[in-house]
Amino acid sequence: MFWTFPVASVKAQLVSQPFKRSQLGLFQGKTKQYGNNVPHSKHKTRRTWLPNIQRKRFFSEALNENVRVKVTTRALKTIKKHNGIDNYVHNMPSKTLGWEGMRIRQMVKSALKDPRMPAGLSEEEANVWIAKRTEELEIQTATEARSVEIARILRNELPNLTTARNATEQALKALGPSAR
């Protein structure tokens, strides 16, 4: 009996991956290596070398919890260089991350889009968290507005009297009749 088309493509996909285990952690391109044991008698025997894999927990600021993952020592150095797992999964190409890295990237992205207050906080801690998050959002919007302003200045679109009048009129409209 012959395979149908979908099964054949799945089999071909499994065969084409040289080190399947590397998809289950952050291996950063490290795979199994092959070579020979060569003793004094020069009788060569085949052997393999596996990457140096460690199980580590990284604190994700976006998720506000520890993420447990298998990493190679090379990936560990790169995570340190990027100042944490959040920046690492955000800045690395998807080809380097593998399945596990892409899963973590999606979790971090969704947490950054919709930050949820951590469970189990007292009322005072919750108020502090909300105030901190509100301040972060204000800083983010101010930074975005400033970058737009800088881009406009770099394009030589300097403010003039008409743009200032338009801005004043828009502000007065937004504030309503009580502002006049």
PDB file of all heavy atoms in Angstrom, residues 101-119:
ATOM      1  N   GLY A 101      10.905  28.234  20.970  1.00  0.00           N
ATOM      2  CA  GLY A 101      11.162  29.666  20.979  1.00  0.00           C
ATOM      3  C   GLY A 101      10.012  30.456  20.393  1.00  0.00           C
ATOM      4  O   GLY A 101       9.651  31.529  20.899  1.00  0.00           O
ATOM      5  N   MET A 102       9.408  29.935  19.314  1.00  0.00           N
ATOM      6  CA  MET A 102       8.259  30.615  18.711  1.00  0.00           C
ATOM      7  C   MET A 102       7.054  30.587  19.655  1.00  0.00           C
ATOM      8  O   MET A 102       6.283  31.549  19.717  1.00  0.00           O
ATOM      9  CB  MET A 102       7.903  29.983  17.369  1.00  0.00           C
ATOM     10  CG  MET A 102       8.922  30.267  16.291  1.00  0.00           C
ATOM     11  SD  MET A 102       9.203  32.017  16.018  1.00  0.00           S
ATOM     12  CE  MET A 102       7.630  32.510  15.353  1.00  0.00           C
ATOM     13  N   ARG A 103       6.898  29.500  20.400  1.00  0.00           N
ATOM     14  CA  ARG A 103       5.809  29.410  21.375  1.00  0.00           C
ATOM     15  C   ARG A 103       5.988  30.475  22.452  1.00  0.00           C
ATOM     16  O   ARG A 103       5.049  31.197  22.804  1.00  0.00           O
ATOM     17  CB  ARG A 103       5.770  28.019  21.999  1.00  0.00           C
ATOM     18  CG  ARG A 103       4.600  27.792  22.936  1.00  0.00           C
ATOM     19  CD  ARG A 103       4.668  26.414  23.576  1.00  0.00           C
ATOM     20  NE  ARG A 103       5.740  26.321  24.541  1.00  0.00           N
ATOM     21  CZ  ARG A 103       5.657  26.766  25.804  1.00  0.00           C
ATOM     22  NH1 ARG A 103       4.547  27.341  26.228  1.00  0.00           N
ATOM     23  NH2 ARG A 103       6.658  26.634  26.636  1.00  0.00           N
ATOM     24  N   ILE A 104       7.224  30.617  22.947  1.00  0.00           N
ATOM     25  CA  ILE A 104       7.507  31.627  23.971  1.00  0.00           C
ATOM     26  C   ILE A 104       7.314  33.030  23.395  1.00  0.00           C
ATOM     27  O   ILE A 104       6.770  33.915  24.055  1.00  0.00           O
ATOM     28  CB  ILE A 104       8.927  31.447  24.537  1.00  0.00           C
ATOM     29  CG1 ILE A 104       9.030  30.108  25.277  1.00  0.00           C
ATOM     30  CG2 ILE A 104       9.293  32.583  25.481  1.00  0.00           C
ATOM     31  CD1 ILE A 104      10.427  29.717  25.663  1.00  0.00           C
ATOM     32  N   ARG A 105       7.737  33.236  22.141  1.00  0.00           N
ATOM     33  CA  ARG A 105       7.575  34.541  21.494  1.00  0.00           C
ATOM     34  C   ARG A 105       6.102  34.922  21.426  1.00  0.00           C
ATOM     35  O   ARG A 105       5.727  36.060  21.710  1.00  0.00           O
ATOM     36  CB  ARG A 105       8.160  34.527  20.088  1.00  0.00           C
ATOM     37  CG  ARG A 105       7.981  35.854  19.371  1.00  0.00           C
ATOM     38  CD  ARG A 105       8.404  35.792  17.936  1.00  0.00           C
ATOM     39  NE  ARG A 105       9.836  35.902  17.791  1.00  0.00           N
ATOM     40  CZ  ARG A 105      10.473  35.859  16.627  1.00  0.00           C
ATOM     41  NH1 ARG A 105       9.798  35.690  15.507  1.00  0.00           N
ATOM     42  NH2 ARG A 105      11.776  35.976  16.572  1.00  0.00           N
ATOM     43  N   GLN A 106       5.239  33.967  21.060  1.00  0.00           N
ATOM     44  CA  GLN A 106       3.805  34.257  20.976  1.00  0.00           C
ATOM     45  C   GLN A 106       3.222  34.577  22.347  1.00  0.00           C
ATOM     46  O   GLN A 106       2.379  35.470  22.479  1.00  0.00           O
ATOM     47  CB  GLN A 106       3.056  33.077  20.340  1.00  0.00           C
ATOM     48  CG  GLN A 106       3.379  32.870  18.884  1.00  0.00           C
ATOM     49  CD  GLN A 106       3.086  34.099  18.055  1.00  0.00           C
ATOM     50  OE1 GLN A 106       2.091  34.792  18.249  1.00  0.00           O
ATOM     51  NE2 GLN A 106       3.973  34.393  17.120  1.00  0.00           N
ATOM     52  N   MET A 107       3.677  33.858  23.375  1.00  0.00           N
ATOM     53  CA  MET A 107       3.193  34.130  24.730  1.00  0.00           C
ATOM     54  C   MET A 107       3.588  35.543  25.163  1.00  0.00           C
ATOM     55  O   MET A 107       2.781  36.281  25.741  1.00  0.00           O
ATOM     56  CB  MET A 107       3.758  33.099  25.713  1.00  0.00           C
ATOM     57  CG  MET A 107       3.140  31.732  25.594  1.00  0.00           C
ATOM     58  SD  MET A 107       3.939  30.413  26.551  1.00  0.00           S
ATOM     59  CE  MET A 107       4.498  31.174  28.012  1.00  0.00           C
ATOM     60  N   VAL A 108       4.844  35.932  24.880  1.00  0.00           N
ATOM     61  CA  VAL A 108       5.327  37.255  25.268  1.00  0.00           C
ATOM     62  C   VAL A 108       4.578  38.341  24.501  1.00  0.00           C
ATOM     63  O   VAL A 108       4.161  39.345  25.085  1.00  0.00           O
ATOM     64  CB  VAL A 108       6.854  37.355  25.034  1.00  0.00           C
ATOM     65  CG1 VAL A 108       7.337  38.786  25.125  1.00  0.00           C
ATOM     66  CG2 VAL A 108       7.601  36.482  26.035  1.00  0.00           C
ATOM     67  N   LYS A 109       4.383  38.137  23.195  1.00  0.00           N
ATOM     68  CA  LYS A 109       3.671  39.139  22.396  1.00  0.00           C
ATOM     69  C   LYS A 109       2.246  39.336  22.899  1.00  0.00           C
ATOM     70  O   LYS A 109       1.762  40.458  23.007  1.00  0.00           O
ATOM     71  CB  LYS A 109       3.649  38.733  20.922  1.00  0.00           C
ATOM     72  CG  LYS A 109       4.889  39.126  20.177  1.00  0.00           C
ATOM     73  CD  LYS A 109       4.722  38.865  18.703  1.00  0.00           C
ATOM     74  CE  LYS A 109       5.935  39.305  17.928  1.00  0.00           C
ATOM     75  NZ  LYS A 109       5.803  39.028  16.499  1.00  0.00           N
ATOM     76  N   SER A 110       1.552  38.230  23.187  1.00  0.00           N
ATOM     77  CA  SER A 110       0.170  38.367  23.653  1.00  0.00           C
ATOM     78  C   SER A 110       0.123  39.016  25.034  1.00  0.00           C
ATOM     79  O   SER A 110      -0.794  39.772  25.332  1.00  0.00           O
ATOM     80  CB  SER A 110      -0.522  37.010  23.665  1.00  0.00           C
ATOM     81  OG  SER A 110       0.072  36.155  24.612  1.00  0.00           O
ATOM     82  N   ALA A 111       1.132  38.746  25.871  1.00  0.00           N
ATOM     83  CA  ALA A 111       1.162  39.369  27.194  1.00  0.00           C
ATOM     84  C   ALA A 111       1.433  40.864  27.083  1.00  0.00           C
ATOM     85  O   ALA A 111       0.905  41.657  27.868  1.00  0.00           O
ATOM     86  CB  ALA A 111       2.227  38.707  28.060  1.00  0.00           C
ATOM     87  N   LEU A 112       2.257  41.265  26.127  1.00  0.00           N
ATOM     88  CA  LEU A 112       2.542  42.693  25.957  1.00  0.00           C
ATOM     89  C   LEU A 112       1.355  43.441  25.361  1.00  0.00           C
ATOM     90  O   LEU A 112       1.140  44.609  25.665  1.00  0.00           O
ATOM     91  CB  LEU A 112       3.779  42.892  25.079  1.00  0.00           C
ATOM     92  CG  LEU A 112       5.100  42.502  25.741  1.00  0.00           C
ATOM     93  CD1 LEU A 112       6.234  42.605  24.739  1.00  0.00           C
ATOM     94  CD2 LEU A 112       5.376  43.352  26.960  1.00  0.00           C
ATOM     95  N   LYS A 113       0.582  42.775  24.501  1.00  0.00           N
ATOM     96  CA  LYS A 113      -0.601  43.409  23.929  1.00  0.00           C
ATOM     97  C   LYS A 113      -1.677  43.623  24.987  1.00  0.00           C
ATOM     98  O   LYS A 113      -2.321  44.652  25.042  1.00  0.00           O
ATOM     99  CB  LYS A 113      -1.183  42.545  22.813  1.00  0.00           C
ATOM    100  CG  LYS A 113      -0.458  42.667  21.512  1.00  0.00           C
ATOM    101  CD  LYS A 113      -1.161  41.841  20.467  1.00  0.00           C
ATOM    102  CE  LYS A 113      -0.387  41.812  19.175  1.00  0.00           C
ATOM    103  NZ  LYS A 113      -0.962  40.886  18.212  1.00  0.00           N
ATOM    104  N   ASP A 114      -1.878  42.612  25.820  1.00  0.00           N
ATOM    105  CA  ASP A 114      -2.942  42.651  26.812  1.00  0.00           C
ATOM    106  C   ASP A 114      -2.364  42.284  28.174  1.00  0.00           C
ATOM    107  O   ASP A 114      -2.515  41.151  28.628  1.00  0.00           O
ATOM    108  CB  ASP A 114      -4.057  41.675  26.419  1.00  0.00           C
ATOM    109  CG  ASP A 114      -5.220  41.717  27.385  1.00  0.00           C
ATOM    110  OD1 ASP A 114      -5.432  42.764  28.020  1.00  0.00           O
ATOM    111  OD2 ASP A 114      -5.915  40.692  27.523  1.00  0.00           O
ATOM    112  N   PRO A 115      -1.678  43.219  28.833  1.00  0.00           N
ATOM    113  CA  PRO A 115      -1.088  42.877  30.125  1.00  0.00           C
ATOM    114  C   PRO A 115      -2.176  42.683  31.178  1.00  0.00           C
ATOM    115  O   PRO A 115      -3.027  43.545  31.368  1.00  0.00           O
ATOM    116  CB  PRO A 115      -0.203  44.084  30.454  1.00  0.00           C
ATOM    117  CG  PRO A 115      -0.792  45.193  29.674  1.00  0.00           C
ATOM    118  CD  PRO A 115      -1.435  44.588  28.464  1.00  0.00           C
ATOM    119  N   ARG A 116      -2.138  41.571  31.813  1.00  0.00           N
ATOM    120  CA  ARG A 116      -3.122  41.267  32.851  1.00  0.00           C
ATOM    121  C   ARG A 116      -2.463  41.416  34.223  1.00  0.00           C
ATOM    122  O   ARG A 116      -1.301  41.107  34.403  1.00  0.00           O
ATOM    123  CB  ARG A 116      -3.644  39.850  32.692  1.00  0.00           C
ATOM    124  CG  ARG A 116      -4.326  39.630  31.359  1.00  0.00           C
ATOM    125  CD  ARG A 116      -4.984  38.263  31.325  1.00  0.00           C
ATOM    126  NE  ARG A 116      -5.386  37.887  29.990  1.00  0.00           N
ATOM    127  CZ  ARG A 116      -6.455  38.351  29.363  1.00  0.00           C
ATOM    128  NH1 ARG A 116      -7.221  39.208  29.951  1.00  0.00           N
ATOM    129  NH2 ARG A 116      -6.745  37.943  28.159  1.00  0.00           N
ATOM    130  N   MET A 117      -3.264  41.869  35.150  1.00  0.00           N
ATOM    131  CA  MET A 117      -2.750  42.028  36.497  1.00  0.00           C
ATOM    132  C   MET A 117      -2.484  40.645  37.091  1.00  0.00           C
ATOM    133  O   MET A 117      -3.308  39.735  36.954  1.00  0.00           O
ATOM    134  CB  MET A 117      -3.772  42.784  37.356  1.00  0.00           C
ATOM    135  CG  MET A 117      -3.248  43.153  38.707  1.00  0.00           C
ATOM    136  SD  MET A 117      -4.298  44.311  39.603  1.00  0.00           S
ATOM    137  CE  MET A 117      -5.906  43.633  39.397  1.00  0.00           C
ATOM    138  N   PRO A 118      -1.335  40.456  37.741  1.00  0.00           N
ATOM    139  CA  PRO A 118      -1.039  39.152  38.337  1.00  0.00           C
ATOM    140  C   PRO A 118      -2.068  38.784  39.398  1.00  0.00           C
ATOM    141  O   PRO A 118      -2.565  39.646  40.124  1.00  0.00           O
ATOM    142  CB  PRO A 118       0.341  39.339  38.965  1.00  0.00           C
ATOM    143  CG  PRO A 118       0.875  40.607  38.416  1.00  0.00           C
ATOM    144  CD  PRO A 118      -0.264  41.400  37.917  1.00  0.00           C
ATOM    145  N   ALA A 119      -2.358  37.509  39.468  1.00  0.00           N
ATOM    146  CA  ALA A 119      -3.349  37.034  40.439  1.00  0.00           C
ATOM    147  C   ALA A 119      -2.733  37.002  41.837  1.00  0.00           C
ATOM    148  O   ALA A 119      -1.521  36.890  42.005  1.00  0.00           O
ATOM    149  CB  ALA A 119      -3.834  35.647  40.055  1.00  0.00           C
TER     150      ALA A 119
END
